[in-house]
């Protein structure tokens, strides 16, 4: 019993303290930073950045495609490839930084740039993270540019003015990685 308690406490101590709390359906994308640990194999513990093609290299098993997998699915893939080499392996995959999960907010906001999506984030939340609007923002004609499944860009119109008046609350959609939120300048005349 004491051995079990010691192993459990050791496992808790090995979990990275800067891990990010993520949604259950979180999928790994290029740019994400992962911590991969193999129990009792300290030489195999790695901090990994997912490459632009969605892959990474891991000792003893080579290149693995992680794009679109959840951390649990990736854990199972690594464990499956290691089980013949290390029969009692226990693998842990933790997302340290969801750097591949970001949207861009540009135009008439206080702090234009990228916003990380650690959990589901709506248009209004992203605008808030960008510091809100400048005095010159046209809050009626905000546009979200999104790539669809075919790789084509589509335009989604968003009116913050309506939302702030309690209208069209269902238009405050969840953003997806790669979205671009554009806040245009209002016409002066």
């Amino acid at each position: 019993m004491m051995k079990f308690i010691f192993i459990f406490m050791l496992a808790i101590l090995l979990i990275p303290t800067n891990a990010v709390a993520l949604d259950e359906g979180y999928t790994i994308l290029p740019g994400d930073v992962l911590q991969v640990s193999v129990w009792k194999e300290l030489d195999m513990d790695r901090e990994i950045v997912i490459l632009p093609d969605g892959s990474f290299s891991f000792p003893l098993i080579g290149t693995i495609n992680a794009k679109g997998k959840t951390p649990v699915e990736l854990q199972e893939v690594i464990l499956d490839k290691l089980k013949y080499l290390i029969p009692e392996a226990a693998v842990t995959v933790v997302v340290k930084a969801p750097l591949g999960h970001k949207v861009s907010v540009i135009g008439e906001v206080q702090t234009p740039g990228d916003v990380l999506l650690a959990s589901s984030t709506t248009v209004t939340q992203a605008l808030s993270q960008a510091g809100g609007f400048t005095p010159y923002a046209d809050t009626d004609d905000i546009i979200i540019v999104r790539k669809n499944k075919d790789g084509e860009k589509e335009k989604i119109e968003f009116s913050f003015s309506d939302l702030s008046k309690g209208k069209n609350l269902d238009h405050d959609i969840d953003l997806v990685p790669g979205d671009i939120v554009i806040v245009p300048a209002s016409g002066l005349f």
Side-chain angles (χ1 to χ4, degrees):
M1 181 67 171
M2 288 301 288
K3 184 178 179 182
F4 174 75
I5 293 171
F6 174 76
I7 292 171
F8 178 75
M9 295 302 291
L10 182 62
I12 288 174
L13 292 174
L14 292 176
I15 295 174
T17 56
N18 57 348
V20 179
L22 302 169
D23 290 341
E24 189 175 302
Y26 182 91
T27 57
I28 298 167
L29 290 178
D32 286 349
V33 179
L34 309 177
Q35 179 69 42
V36 180
S37 302
V38 180
W39 187 58
K40 287 188 177 182
E41 301 293 335
L42 295 178
D43 292 342
M44 294 185 73
D45 287 357
R46 295 281 190 273
E47 182 172 295
I48 295 167
V49 177
I50 303 300
L51 299 174
D53 68 353
S55 69
F56 68 95
S57 184
F58 197 73
L60 299 177
I61 41 182
T63 302
I64 299 171
N65 184 13
K67 185 177 179 180
K69 291 179 175 54
T70 66
V72 172
E73 290 170 340
L74 182 58
Q75 202 168 282
E76 291 169 1
V77 167
I78 295 169
L79 183 60
D80 187 54
K81 291 181 182 279
L82 281 177
K83 70 182 176 186
Y84 301 107
L85 301 167
I86 307 171
E88 295 179 14
V91 177
T92 304
V93 175
V94 176
V95 178
K96 289 186 76 173
L99 301 181
H101 290 258
K102 60 186 172 187
V103 298
S104 296
V105 182
I106 61 174
E108 296 299 319
V109 290
Q110 297 294 332
T111 314
D114 291 337
V115 173
L116 291 179
L117 305 175
S119 60
S120 63
T121 303
T122 65
V123 178
T124 306
Q125 290 169 326
L127 292 169
S128 173
Q129 289 182 37
F133 301 112
T134 68
Y136 308 106
D138 181 351
T139 61
D140 288 329
D141 295 319
I142 297 170
I143 297 168
I144 295 107
V145 178
R146 176 177 290 170
K147 278 188 183 178
N148 63 23
K149 292 179 183 179
D150 299 327
E152 296 173 4
K153 293 180 181 176
E154 61 183 56
K155 171 181 157 182
I156 303 169
E157 296 178 356
F158 177 80
S159 173
F160 182 79
S161 297
D162 284 351
L163 193 73
S164 67
K165 295 174 189 168
K167 299 178 185 175
N168 301 324
L169 297 178
D170 58 331
H171 288 181
D172 194 15
I173 60 172
D174 286 338
L175 295 170
V176 297
D179 281 355
I180 302 169
V181 179
I182 303 169
V183 180
S186 61
L188 296 175
F189 302 102

